[in-house]
Amino acid sequence: MTTTFQKRLRETLERRNMRQVDLAEKTGLTRGIISSYLYGRYKAKGENVALMAKALGVDPSWLAGVEDVPMGTTQEERDVLSLWRTLSERDKGTVKCLLTHLAGSRDE
């Protein structure tokens, strides 16, 4: 069974036009260990996920499959999303109205 981590690692390598050997060079990990992660032979340790995420330019939590935040999301966007998740439904409606108003006012 393919894990979220495996899918995201493979997807990110493809989008970045990177090969396993390229990621190995950028992280200091061996191509063999990266291959093992891609094929599910080994589960990546947190420190290795962090190394790969940094080399790939993605959030480590996203790569690991812990968070469902889109690839390429900035830290600022992740912070806003974290705050959003703490709001009540009523407050979310207020924020949506405010954002819609602000986005509309840029066009004027």
Side-chain angles (χ1 to χ4, degrees), residues 13 18-35 37 47-56:
L13 284 169
M18 288 179 70
R19 300 169 299 159
Q20 293 176 33
V21 69
D22 300 325
L23 184 58
E25 289 173 4
K26 287 185 173 217
T27 60
L29 300 171
T30 66
R31 194 196 78 61
I33 195 71
I34 292 169
S35 176
Y37 295 154
E47 61 214 34
N48 290 348
V49 172
L51 284 171
M52 291 183 285
K54 183 176 181 181
L56 294 166

Side-chain angles (χ1 to χ4, degrees), residues 36-97:
S36 293
Y37 295 154
L38 283 167
Y39 291 98
R41 290 189 288 270
Y42 296 110
K43 183 176 178 180
K45 295 179 182 177
E47 61 214 34
N48 290 348
V49 172
L51 284 171
M52 291 183 285
K54 183 176 181 181
L56 294 166
V58 298
D59 181 81
S61 296
W62 177 83
L63 183 61
V66 176
E67 287 195 30
D68 197 21
V69 176
M71 181 172 67
T73 305
T74 66
Q75 183 61 51
E76 186 175 36
E77 291 168 326
R78 289 189 299 274
D79 292 345
V80 169
L81 181 58
S82 292
L83 291 170
W84 173 265
R85 290 178 174 163
T86 68
L87 297 176
S88 68
E89 290 305 311
R90 181 174 181 233
D91 289 343
K92 286 178 182 179
T94 302
V95 171
K96 284 181 188 178
C97 287

